[in-house]
Amino acid sequence: MGITPVKDMVAEAKRTITSLSTEEAARMVEAGEALLVDIRDPRELSRDGRIPGAFHAPRGMLEFWIDPESPYHKEGLATDKTLVLFCASAWRSALSAQTLQNMGVENVAEMEGGFAAWKKDERPIDQ
């Protein structure tokens, strides 16, 4: 049996999660309805910049930081706001949103196109 290609895993995840455009995500953040969660690697943040106000939760720690019973839990992720996950291009965020849904998180979505789409749409970035 071969390995399932990651592109197939992402496609499956996208069928089961909510995806928001950068416009929808920005509108929800401005309305106080959402928190942007940047799951990119710290090196990506240093190299490419950050979205102002986004909460940084590296992909490798996301499940541990979201779980209130984990010794690594981050209070900043314990919110009624929709957690809008994003990575560089929306592959990792799709898989992460699906994982959080599987954990029982109801208020989660991913941002279509990720940081690349945010940048392309000329939205604010801190270098």
Side-chain angles (χ1 to χ4, degrees):
M1 184 166 128
I3 292 175
T4 302
V6 72
K7 68 179 181 178
D8 293 350
M9 293 173 62
V10 170
E12 175 60 29
K14 286 187 179 277
R15 284 191 283 278
T16 65
I17 63 172
T18 300
S19 294
L20 302 172
S21 68
T22 61
E23 181 179 333
E24 291 170 307
R27 181 192 53 74
M28 288 177 70
V29 168
E30 289 170 16
E33 300 168 354
L35 173 66
L36 291 177
V37 180
D38 190 339
I39 65 166
R40 295 177 299 149
D41 182 278
R43 292 170 294 190
E44 292 174 279
L45 277 63
S46 295
R47 183 186 65 220
D48 302 325
R50 302 175 64 129
I51 296 175
F55 186 98
H56 181 238
R59 172 67 190 102
M61 293 302 295
L62 186 61
E63 294 88 348
F64 299 96
W65 286 12
I66 200 93
D67 179 359
E69 295 183 25
S70 165
Y72 302 105
H73 176 68
K74 297 291 183 186
E75 195 60 37
L77 294 173
T79 179
D80 290 335
K81 294 179 182 181
T82 298
L83 302 174
V84 181
L85 309 181
F86 70 93
C87 59
S89 61
W91 282 38
R92 289 172 286 176
S93 58
L95 295 175
S96 298
Q98 183 183 49
T99 297
L100 294 188
Q101 280 185 180
N102 290 343
M103 289 177 72
V105 177
E106 296 176 1
N107 57 330
V108 65
E110 62 103 27
M111 187 168 67
E112 293 173 1
F115 185 79
W118 185 273
K119 191 172 181 179
K120 181 179 177 247
D121 290 348
E122 299 182 352
R123 298 197 177 275
I125 296 173
D126 287 340
Q127 291 297 328

